[in-house]
Amino acid sequence: MTAPTPQAPRHVRAVAVQPHWSARDFTTPEAFRRWMRAQLDMARPHLKPGGVNLVVLTELNGLPLVLRGGGWALRLRTFERVALALFLARLPRALPVLLRERVSPIRALQLAGIDANTELYLRTCRDLAREYGVYLCCGSAPMPRYTRHGTTLRRAPGVLTNQTVLLDPHGDLIGVTDKVHLTPDEEAGGVDLTPGDLDELRVFPTPAGDLGVAISLDAFRADVIGSLAAQGCTVLLQPDANGSPWTAKEGLPPDPAHLRDQPVAWLESSWQVTAQRQIPYAVNPMVVGNLLDLTFDGQSGITGPAEEAPGLRSYVLTDPRPGFLALTPWVTDGTPDELRQAGLDRAAHSGHPLENRYREDTLHADLTLPPAARPAPPRTAHEDALHALLRGEAHAPRPSPHPGPWALAALALLALPLLTWLRRRP
């Protein structure tokens, strides 16, 4: 009797892209496709020819698609003003969603165009995964839940999660993950997303690793990391969009009486996960750039076992340490006070000559992983629907005809309370 041949380990090139975004990148489909393609072009020199390449993009890189077709509103300069203007301009589409699905105005605004935006987002990512021949973590975007009915997808009313999609080099769907722990800016007082379900988190075995996704805040939470580790995750993907100056104080402190520098708090995500050997490797890309009046900044990194990365380095405002396989430098060096001021100088609407001057970058690291030992989880109904969309076997719902004068009459009744509601936002 012949003994079974042992499977070979998996060798993977992991690539994290740190792009600089702008509201203009999302005002037309062509601009969005250019911005996404530019990120894969940034990754191209880091790809291993003939090897298995995993490219990880950033959190909420589909959220600003709510601006599609609304370039005229950008002159209003703040997100709350732009959101109000777009809601009023799109009232014939958004008002029926608000009334029928009993959601907030900001969620209704997003849902009113979500089907077309989802198709644009997913098909753009599919085409890039195919063209560049990579396993692609698309980042994340607000997306609904769909079920397939013949050649048409049907959207679950009112649901809009922060959702990551994983694709293989053929552009086919690997799996989908929702963000479980939302930040205040993602909850009802902000863009008003639906939290994901912890029990629905899964790990996806692929030639690029047993992939588990913990979107931003989820990577700081023990319940999410514990679930992924228990399912055999070998590569943690942490797409991120940190909505504040990088050298500011932490925004969600465990102890409000003792605020830490934000980079210090960030060590409790990917770096801690791999340093404590809960999961062997982690990839954490972060988007940078001012989006209207919102500031996004950070340092992207790839972390792993200390013995594979013995060199001492770390985020600014933290002590050097082993465990960073790759790390983007921040925009400048200096004393703690100089670094904190440098973050403020670059923030949105600072008026400083360095406003919006951030560092784009691309990182890579080579990972050696054990053979896959678990079967792929069965697809959910939502994943079946997205798989059909990506393969051209189904399409998202087409917009219904605009309602008549009744929607315009409601404009005057809704404008004042909507303005008041949006002005209450921080």
Side-chain angles (χ1 to χ4, degrees):
M1 182 175 179
T2 304
T5 303
Q7 291 182 285
R10 290 169 287 179
H11 299 283
V12 180
R13 171 71 56 87
V15 180
V17 181
Q18 178 168 302
H20 188 296
W21 64 3
S22 161
R24 287 284 173 195
D25 295 325
F26 301 89
T27 53
T28 68
E30 295 75 20
F32 177 69
R33 293 188 191 103
R34 283 195 300 270
W35 183 68
M36 292 291 282
R37 173 175 291 280
Q39 294 175 65
L40 271 294
D41 283 342
M42 289 169 64
R44 190 196 295 272
H46 297 260
L47 302 180
K48 186 175 183 178
V52 176
N53 293 286
L54 169 66
V55 177
V56 187
L57 305 183
T58 56
E59 182 190 18
L60 292 177
N61 59 359
L63 170 66
L65 282 173
V66 71
L67 302 173
R68 186 173 57 88
W72 56 270
L74 300 187
R75 67 174 70 96
L76 298 175
R77 301 191 70 229
T78 72
F79 241 109
E80 68 176 40
R81 292 174 187 164
V82 170
L84 175 63
L86 292 178
F87 186 90
L88 297 180
R90 299 171 184 176
L91 188 66
R93 283 185 290 156
L95 182 59
V97 175
L98 184 149
L99 298 175
R100 183 175 60 247
E101 303 185 28
R102 300 178 182 234
V103 295
S104 68
I106 192 66
R107 193 182 295 193
L109 173 63
Q110 296 174 84
L111 289 173
I114 199 65
D115 297 322
N117 287 341
T118 295
E119 281 199 324
L120 171 62
Y121 180 78
L122 291 180
R123 288 177 173 168
T124 298
C125 292
R126 174 200 64 191
D127 294 346
L128 292 172
R130 287 175 176 173
E131 179 179 347
Y132 290 81
V134 299
Y135 288 87
L136 183 63
C137 172
C138 300
S140 79
M143 286 174 50
R145 290 284 182 88
Y146 289 110
T147 52
R148 182 182 180 183
H149 299 266
T151 60
T152 303
L153 307 188
R154 185 175 299 167
R155 180 173 64 79
V159 176
L160 190 65
T161 64
N162 185 350
Q163 196 171 133
T164 287
V165 173
L166 302 176
L167 303 177
D168 71 14
H170 302 289
D172 285 334
L173 185 79
I174 296 170
V176 172
T177 298
D178 292 330
K179 186 175 183 178
V180 175
H181 298 282
L182 302 181
T183 66
D185 287 339
E186 294 171 298
E187 294 175 330
V191 293
D192 193 19
L193 301 179
T194 308
D197 186 340
L198 178 67
D199 293 335
E200 294 180 359
L201 288 178
R202 290 161 301 147
V203 169
F204 302 97
T206 75
D210 303 300
L211 307 179
V213 180
I215 303 171
S216 191
L217 184 57
D218 280 356
F220 295 76
R221 297 295 182 252
D223 55 356
V224 171
I225 298 304
S227 173
L228 296 176
Q231 295 179 62
C233 178
T234 56
V235 184
L236 177 71
L237 310 182
Q238 184 187 343
D240 238 307
N242 169 51
S244 69
W246 180 232
T247 52
K249 295 298 183 181
E250 60 184 321
L252 293 171
D255 182 0
H258 296 89
L259 291 180
R260 302 170 297 178
D261 291 313
Q262 187 166 229
V264 175
W266 223 263
L267 290 168
E268 296 180 355
S269 59
S270 281
W271 181 83
Q272 178 175 277
V273 168
T274 55
Q276 294 181 347
R277 300 183 182 272
Q278 296 168 282
I279 295 171
Y281 299 101
V283 186
N284 175 210
M286 302 183 73
V287 69
V288 297
N290 299 333
L291 208 65
L292 296 170
D293 59 328
L294 305 180
T295 296
F296 293 87
D297 193 13
Q299 289 178 262
S300 300
I302 303 174
T303 62
E307 61 270 21
E308 294 184 27
L312 302 182
R313 52 182 167 173
S314 189
Y315 305 127
V316 293
L317 299 175
T318 69
D319 295 327
R321 65 202 63 231
F324 282 97
L325 297 165
L327 179 66
T328 292
W330 197 51
V331 291
T332 189
D333 296 316
T335 67
D337 286 344
E338 290 170 340
L339 292 170
R340 295 184 184 103
Q341 186 59 49
L344 295 175
D345 292 343
R346 288 162 173 78
H349 296 183
S350 72
H352 193 276
L354 292 175
E355 180 180 345
N356 206 24
R357 297 285 296 275
Y358 299 100
R359 180 190 178 103
E360 285 188 319
D361 206 354
T362 311
L363 307 172
H364 77 266
D366 290 320
L367 318 181
T368 299
L369 305 167
R374 293 173 180 246
R379 282 201 178 112
T380 65
H382 174 58
E383 289 170 333
D384 279 336
L386 295 190
H387 179 68
L389 185 150
L390 288 163
R391 292 176 67 90
E393 298 167 357
H395 58 79
R398 301 305 182 213
S400 56
H402 291 338
W406 66 272
L408 299 177
L411 174 60
L413 297 175
L414 284 173
L416 185 57
L418 279 172
L419 182 59
T420 302
W421 179 82
L422 283 169
R423 280 177 173 167
R424 286 201 304 266
R425 290 191 59 211

